[in-house]
Amino acid sequence: MVEVRDIVKRYGDHVAVDHLSFRVEKGQIYGFLGPNGAGKSTTMNIITGYLASNEGTVLINGHDILEEPEEAKKCVGYLPEQPPLYMDMTVLECLNFAAELKGVQRSERDEMIQDIMEMLSLEDVKDRLVKNLSKGYRQRVGLGQALVGNPEILILDEPTVGLDPKQIIEIRSLIKDLSKEHTVILSSHILSEVSALCDQILIISKGKLVACDTPQNLSSQMQGNSTLQLSVLDPEHKIEGVFAQKFEGAIHVQGAWEQDVWSGTLQVDGMDDIRAELFYLLAEEDCPILELSQSRMSLEDIFLELTEAEQEVHNESDL
Amino acid sequence: MKAIYKREVAGYFRSMTGYVFLFFIFLIVGIYFYAYNLLNGYPSMNVTFNSITFVFLLAVPVLTMRVLSEERRHKTDQLLLTAPVSVAKIVLGKFLALLTVYMIPIGVICLYPLIMRVFGKVSFAQNYTAILGFFLLGAANIAVGLFISSLTENTIIAAVLTFVVMFLSYIMSGLESFLPSSMSDGILYHVMEACNVDGHFQSFVDGTFEVTAVVYFLSVMVVFVFLTMQSIKKRRWS
């Protein structure tokens, strides 16, 4: 279990992580999502103890990363954005080094490394120098180093960046498998990846946590504010009055007439589906509906909305 | 710590740096040993060592330039610093690895008095004291190089900076002589003397085993290894 409390990281005047708090429970996959420069990598570096935060604490299985670093770091396997590999070593040497560094017993070492190489299909390249390997293989060796020592928590910073589509699928299914025994925290700026893999999504923007929920909840929560696209034949130009009278400000109407046709959007607060109601209302008013559609918010829109809303607030405060 | 130590020692001989370091030391020590001790039959290595302290100016930067700076450049320090190993152990592992590589030429040099013994009478005590002094001088310089390597992620800058610092300490005896006699016991003199790593080797050259000099060299090592640890810890906060 990882608990992050109120961490702040400043680089000079720039605040990279701004009072971020969250809890990661055992046995699930957590996805860190955010645009570039949102503070994902910085947060991961703080959780793993590579960087120290200016304020706040990080607890890993109850151990403070700054007070009891060795206990805390034992529980964590970390794959940074750029896999930390020694170019002049072979794959086998890299994994052996990581095992020794993490204090894996000599008797267990060979078997553990053999298992990891099998799982990541690294056996064919085990005697090749890391500098001669492709990005995909390096990524896998890095993942192997993180897996050595069988840590409870795996922290993977953009694990699929730079891989070809086939490798991406392989790595994803591997992460799925790993989540049976490990808690996985991964970061990504690719939405489909996070929504496909993760049980929980943490959306970060400008160093702040803007949302934290399951992918399903995030979508349904956002659909609460659904938007209707509407075109109505309305020669008498009375429709906006009708809406105002009927819904009394519960919906937000925006549109314009183009000759006899009114077209615009209706933003509805709450979960109610008013499409049927709208149909009967407009039929009564003798205004035939030409077009009516509900735009569902995909995770993509939620992401954009959440991260952009943050930006607007930011811009306003700048002025 | 053992893992880091082993990887580091092996690393010197996977790349050229270890060989270049050994080449410099063996070349210079060999030439001077041949000229002073074998050709001219001088039965002690003290004077030989006194003439070749400049070898560290070339050899130590080559040895220490990449020790920490390259970890940072290739981001492999992320592996070390997020592993359950303390910074102190990382730095000590690195320092011991450097000393191990340095022990190779020292071990060979230890045979030189035995070679001289073949040709005549040799004072082993005097010779081995000089070798001990030479080892301490080099080890202190290596600690300085280790620290400088932790300051930058550019190996060339680390090498040049190490060279400059060691060159200043090398000419410090000369600089001290520029001080007017009124300042010969002032605070400036003492500061300069503290930076004069080479000067403290002098007592070994004179054939005396001076405890203060041994303490001085050990202090330089402790201080710079400690500073290296602090410089790595500090980086997490910036």
Side-chain angles (χ1 to χ4, degrees):
Chain A
M1 196 198 73
V2 180
E3 193 171 350
V4 173
R5 282 192 205 142
D6 229 13
I7 54 169
V8 177
K9 179 72 186 174
R10 296 188 203 92
Y11 293 113
D13 288 339
H14 174 69
V15 183
V17 177
D18 194 359
H19 296 280
L20 192 67
S21 303
F22 58 88
R23 266 171 79 105
V24 169
E25 300 295 341
K26 222 178 149 182
Q28 286 189 310
I29 307 183
Y30 283 75
F32 261 33
L33 193 61
N36 291 327
K40 298 182 301 263
S41 295
T42 307
T43 309
M44 291 191 149
N45 278 333
I46 291 171
I47 296 174
T48 52
Y50 179 63
L51 291 176
S53 57
N54 297 95
E55 287 169 38
T57 49
V58 175
L59 295 177
I60 291 168
N61 282 348
H63 304 289
D64 190 309
I65 191 79
L66 290 177
E67 306 284 323
E68 306 165 88
E70 290 181 36
E71 293 299 314
K73 285 172 185 174
K74 253 182 207 153
C75 312
V76 177
Y78 182 33
L79 170 66
E81 211 170 347
Q82 186 186 340
L85 302 170
Y86 291 100
M87 294 297 155
D88 55 357
M89 282 159 74
T90 66
V91 172
L92 196 59
E93 282 171 332
C94 275
L95 294 175
N96 258 315
F97 173 66
E100 207 174 331
L101 194 66
K102 292 181 181 182
V104 177
Q105 293 299 314
R106 188 178 291 271
S107 52
E108 300 167 20
R109 220 178 278 162
D110 286 344
E111 202 188 322
M112 181 180 282
I113 289 170
Q114 196 58 39
D115 288 348
I116 288 172
M117 285 198 300
E118 252 167 57
M119 190 158 54
L120 297 166
S121 39
L122 282 171
E123 275 174 313
D124 296 339
V125 295
K126 69 177 181 186
D127 292 321
R128 279 174 56 185
L129 288 177
V130 170
K131 66 177 161 202
N132 297 332
L133 293 180
S134 68
K135 171 86 178 135
Y137 272 114
R138 285 184 195 180
Q139 195 78 16
R140 278 193 250 177
V141 180
L143 187 58
Q145 284 186 338
L147 284 172
V148 160
N150 219 3
E152 259 176 71
I153 300 155
L154 282 176
I155 299 187
L156 314 173
D157 197 350
E158 312 218 334
T160 55
V161 155
L163 304 184
D164 65 40
K166 185 166 168 281
Q167 291 169 327
I168 289 178
I169 292 167
E170 279 171 16
I171 290 267
R172 278 185 197 165
S173 69
L174 186 71
I175 292 172
K176 273 271 183 215
D177 286 343
L178 288 171
S179 71
K180 285 169 197 153
E181 285 163 39
H182 307 261
T183 307
V184 182
I185 305 177
L186 60 89
S187 79
S188 178
H189 56 255
I190 305 163
L191 248 146
S192 57
E193 178 168 292
V194 173
S195 57
L197 265 177
C198 302
D199 304 312
Q200 290 276 337
I201 298 182
L202 301 129
I203 298 181
I204 297 182
S205 173
K206 305 260 166 194
K208 287 185 179 141
L209 191 66
V210 290
C212 170
D213 220 323
T214 61
Q216 294 79 10
N217 279 355
L218 272 181
S219 320
S220 60
Q221 194 184 321
M222 276 302 178
Q223 270 157 17
N225 284 328
S226 67
T227 307
L228 300 178
Q229 300 279 348
L230 183 67
S231 296
V232 184
L233 193 62
D234 176 28
E236 291 162 45
H237 290 209
K238 61 180 180 183
I239 188 158
E240 286 190 359
V242 171
F243 284 143
Q245 201 184 349
K246 172 81 182 170
F247 296 105
E248 288 170 353
I251 61 172
H252 183 70
V253 184
Q254 204 177 16
W257 284 275
E258 205 171 290
Q259 290 171 346
D260 286 348
V261 179
W262 183 90
S263 50
T265 57
L266 305 180
Q267 267 185 347
V268 189
D269 296 335
M271 295 292 281
D272 308 333
D273 190 350
I274 62 160
R275 279 176 295 177
E277 204 178 337
L278 211 56
F279 169 80
Y280 291 121
L281 173 72
L282 293 174
E284 222 168 84
E285 297 290 333
D286 210 15
C287 296
I289 293 175
L290 303 179
E291 197 182 324
L292 174 62
S293 68
Q294 186 178 36
S295 56
R296 282 182 182 280
M297 282 191 110
S298 68
L299 214 49
E300 204 98 18
D301 300 320
I302 299 168
F303 174 63
L304 284 176
E305 181 148 307
L306 285 170
T307 51
E308 265 164 22
E310 194 68 24
Q311 218 154 5
E312 276 161 27
V313 171
H314 203 77
N315 288 344
E316 274 165 30
S317 66
D318 278 353
L319 289 174
Chain B
M1 187 166 110
K2 223 174 113 203
I4 293 168
Y5 169 80
K6 269 162 54 184
R7 200 209 75 79
E8 197 63 28
V9 172
Y12 285 112
F13 297 101
R14 261 195 287 260
S15 67
M16 263 189 33
T17 48
Y19 296 103
V20 172
F21 172 78
L22 294 185
F23 170 78
F24 272 133
I25 300 242
F26 281 130
L27 180 76
I28 305 292
V29 174
I31 290 174
Y32 279 74
F33 175 70
Y34 174 73
Y36 280 55
N37 304 105
L38 297 183
L39 212 58
N40 290 313
Y42 195 77
S44 140
M45 292 190 73
N46 304 30
V47 186
T48 320
F49 285 138
N50 194 31
S51 313
I52 60 169
T53 52
F54 71 88
V55 69
F56 293 123
L57 292 180
L58 298 170
V60 171
V62 168
L63 188 69
T64 61
M65 62 181 182
R66 47 162 292 282
V67 63
L68 288 164
S69 59
E70 205 166 64
E71 298 272 359
R72 214 168 137 191
R73 196 167 52 134
H74 291 310
K75 306 244 179 191
T76 43
D77 59 340
Q78 280 188 318
L79 177 65
L80 302 183
L81 293 173
T82 58
V85 182
S86 66
V87 174
K89 281 183 179 164
I90 295 173
V91 173
L92 276 177
K94 293 269 183 189
F95 185 56
L96 290 179
L98 288 165
L99 289 187
T100 306
V101 177
Y102 178 47
M103 281 305 286
I104 296 170
I106 294 294
V108 175
I109 289 171
C110 281
L111 301 174
Y112 289 0
L114 300 176
I115 296 172
M116 289 193 285
R117 181 73 184 79
V118 176
F119 302 106
K121 210 163 176 243
V122 171
S123 162
F124 284 127
Q126 196 186 11
N127 271 297
Y128 285 110
T129 306
I131 291 176
L132 174 71
F134 191 69
F135 168 71
L136 288 173
L137 176 64
N141 278 328
I142 285 173
V144 176
L146 175 76
F147 170 63
I148 292 172
S149 179
S150 78
L151 297 177
T152 169
E153 51 188 285
N154 186 320
T155 47
I156 304 299
I157 291 178
V160 170
L161 212 58
T162 310
F163 175 80
V164 169
V165 168
M166 286 175 46
F167 183 73
L168 279 177
S169 122
Y170 181 72
I171 60 169
M172 199 54 84
S173 299
L175 293 178
E176 278 169 7
S177 67
F178 290 146
L179 285 178
S181 54
S182 61
M183 288 172 75
S184 66
D185 204 32
I187 195 158
L188 185 62
Y189 172 78
H190 285 292
V191 170
M192 286 170 86
E193 187 58 19
C195 303
N196 187 356
V197 180
D198 264 19
H200 289 84
F201 179 55
Q202 216 53 46
S203 62
F204 291 98
V205 174
D206 298 339
T208 51
F209 180 83
E210 223 180 279
V211 178
T212 50
V214 176
V215 170
Y216 171 81
F217 283 125
L218 291 178
S219 321
V220 170
M221 285 180 236
V222 170
V223 166
F224 279 94
V225 167
F226 176 75
L227 284 178
T228 311
M229 293 172 190
Q230 295 310 309
S231 129
I232 291 177
K233 282 184 190 160
K234 187 199 156 279
R235 210 186 300 147
R236 299 165 75 187
W237 299 92
S238 56

